[in-house]
Amino acid sequence: MSRPALSTLTAALVSVIQLMTIALLYILTDWYIDHAELSALDALPPDAKRAWVSINNGEIPAPSDLAALAPLYPTLEEATEASPVEGVLGFGFLLIVFTSGIGVVLAYRLVAPLTRLTAAAEKIRQGDFQVTVEPGATKEVETLAITINRMASELLALETRLKFNTRAVAHELRTPLTVLQGNLQGMTDGVIPVSEAQLRALLAQTRGMSRLVDQLNTLSLAGTIDFVTATMATDLALHASETVTLFQISAGGDVNFRTYLAPAPAMIDPDRFRQAILALLENARRYAGNFGPIDVHTGVDGTGRSFISVQDKGPGLPDYAQHSSFDMFWRSERLSGRGTSGSGLGLTIVKAIAEGHNARLEVGNNPDGGAYAKVTFEVA
């Protein structure tokens, strides 16, 4: 149900209180005037009372009755004239006190949700993100409550994610650092002979850690204004061809890359785009390089959007993992026993780069086997 705006509700409450005050003041004052007149009449002698009633009815009173009323008339007239003023002043004061009490109660009811929102914001400031605020009676308070609840939920998810990522980074670095420390300590103590092969192995460990740090730095920039810069209108096929050629040379003859590159115009940051292609190629090589050729496609789909896709002939992704594959440090269990491993950041980086270009990354399994990763750009 739609809630009223705070300004509308406040104006309505003020109007209702004012109308109620005027109506009650009129009713009570009218009653008081009648009561005062009846009380004054009851205090008159019978003959004077008969004269007053006759005069009010438009009749001529008896001379004796009129003579009895004449000396009392000024006092009676003064009492009846004073009663409206007394009624307005007396009941007006009581109604002011009464309506002020109503106003205080209604104001408290309006302010109570804001008090709860303030308390919730204070809990969030102190680091307690498990906060839920009930919406108030007005639209503004409801919107603010929904915003605070959503912010608390996102902060809680971010905190959980940050703790997980911190533990994951520590886990990723612990093993190579332990290997480095153990080998260097052994060489220093003379237990392990210093050889070129041993030094090259240790150098490979440092390169792996350096690559992990570079990937984490890339992800730390995701979503900032410095992440995707210097965009230009170009052809995805051109950059894909150059990148695949260089990657094929570095990978040697272990992997066979096939390219099917049709023109695909798009606005991209060439450096970030090549970084995404390299991550997709490395991911395909690592997971499916031994299962057959890896195909790279570029072109324009039926809706006029340019795309690049990398398809392999490997074991594919399990159904439960098609969304988890975007998570940081996620790895498929199908790599177990293959002797290869990675940081688990490849698709996370590609997704961040795609979002930086307002593009969409999609991963899944091919109907004839293997997996695919596809980045689709919006129509320029």
Side-chain angles (χ1 to χ4, degrees):
M1 184 179 66
S2 179
R3 288 177 167 82
L6 181 59
S7 57
T8 303
L9 185 60
T10 303
L13 290 175
V14 171
S15 300
V16 169
I17 290 175
Q18 289 176 340
L19 291 174
M20 184 175 63
T21 302
I22 294 172
L24 287 175
L25 183 60
Y26 175 80
I27 294 172
L28 293 173
T29 301
D30 185 64
W31 171 84
Y32 181 76
I33 292 172
D34 292 339
H35 176 74
E37 184 175 349
L38 291 174
S39 298
L41 287 175
D42 290 339
L44 292 176
D47 48 359
K49 185 177 181 180
R50 286 195 301 270
W52 178 264
V53 172
S54 298
I55 292 173
N56 283 340
N57 292 334
E59 300 172 354
I60 299 175
S64 59
D65 294 341
L66 185 59
L69 176 64
L72 300 176
Y73 187 80
T75 304
L76 181 61
E77 186 178 18
E78 181 180 353
T80 55
E81 288 178 354
S83 58
V85 178
E86 293 174 352
V88 170
L89 292 177
F91 288 115
F93 176 77
L94 292 177
L95 287 174
I96 288 174
V97 174
F98 175 69
T99 54
S100 296
I102 295 178
V104 170
V105 173
L106 294 177
Y108 175 78
R109 294 292 299 274
L110 288 175
V111 172
L114 298 178
T115 304
R116 294 196 297 268
L117 292 174
T118 303
E122 179 62 23
K123 287 184 179 180
I124 293 175
R125 187 190 69 82
Q126 294 175 357
D128 181 8
F129 303 134
Q130 294 181 333
V131 174
T132 302
V133 184
E134 293 296 329
T138 64
K139 184 185 301 182
E140 291 84 355
V141 174
E142 180 188 28
T143 302
L144 185 56
I146 292 174
T147 301
I148 288 182
N149 290 337
R150 189 173 300 164
M151 179 181 67
S153 177
E154 292 175 355
L155 287 173
L156 180 61
L158 180 62
E159 181 187 44
T160 303
R161 190 68 176 167
L162 181 60
K163 289 180 179 178
F164 169 77
N165 290 342
T166 301
R167 291 194 298 267
V169 170
H171 174 75
E172 292 293 328
L173 293 176
R174 183 181 295 114
T175 300
L177 285 174
T178 301
V179 172
L180 282 173
Q181 183 178 2
N183 280 269
L184 292 175
Q185 185 66 46
M187 292 179 183
T188 303
D189 296 340
V191 178
I192 299 177
V194 180
S195 64
E196 182 179 352
Q198 193 72 14
L199 292 176
R200 288 185 180 277
L202 295 178
L203 181 60
Q205 292 286 344
T206 62
R207 286 173 178 167
M209 288 189 293
S210 177
R211 183 169 59 254
L212 174 61
V213 172
D214 289 341
Q215 290 174 331
L216 290 172
N217 181 64
T218 298
L219 290 176
S220 70
L221 295 175
T224 66
I225 59 175
D226 297 325
F227 185 57
V228 173
T229 59
T231 56
M232 57 180 293
T234 185
D235 189 353
L236 301 183
L238 175 63
H239 299 281
S241 176
E242 295 175 350
T243 306
V244 171
T245 299
L246 293 175
F247 190 86
Q248 179 74 75
I249 295 173
S250 64
D254 296 337
V255 185
N256 178 25
F257 288 97
R258 301 185 303 188
T259 56
Y260 304 88
L261 306 178
M267 290 289 297
I268 63 170
D269 179 338
D271 293 336
R272 289 295 185 201
F273 179 69
R274 285 192 290 268
Q275 185 180 10
I277 298 176
L278 287 173
L280 291 176
L281 297 178
E282 175 62 23
N283 198 64
R285 181 194 68 81
R286 190 179 300 277
Y287 280 72
N290 298 332
F291 291 89
I294 297 173
D295 297 334
V296 181
H297 296 256
T298 62
V300 178
D301 62 18
T303 62
R305 297 179 298 178
S306 297
F307 70 89
I308 178 171
S309 67
V310 177
Q311 303 177 9
D312 60 58
K313 306 296 182 182
L317 289 168
D319 293 337
Y320 69 87
Q322 294 192 26
H323 295 290
S324 301
S325 57
F326 295 140
D327 295 341
M328 291 178 65
F329 302 108
W330 179 89
R331 297 184 184 88
S332 172
E333 295 178 356
R334 293 181 180 178
L335 277 178
S336 300
R338 290 190 56 201
T340 58
S341 63
S343 65
L345 296 176
L347 288 180
T348 310
I349 290 176
V350 177
K351 184 173 184 289
I353 293 175
E355 291 177 347
H357 286 86
N358 293 323
R360 180 171 60 89
L361 171 63
E362 177 187 356
V363 298
N365 292 322
N366 299 311
D368 56 348
Y372 73 89
K374 181 178 180 182
V375 179
T376 305
F377 292 80
E378 295 298 328
V379 179

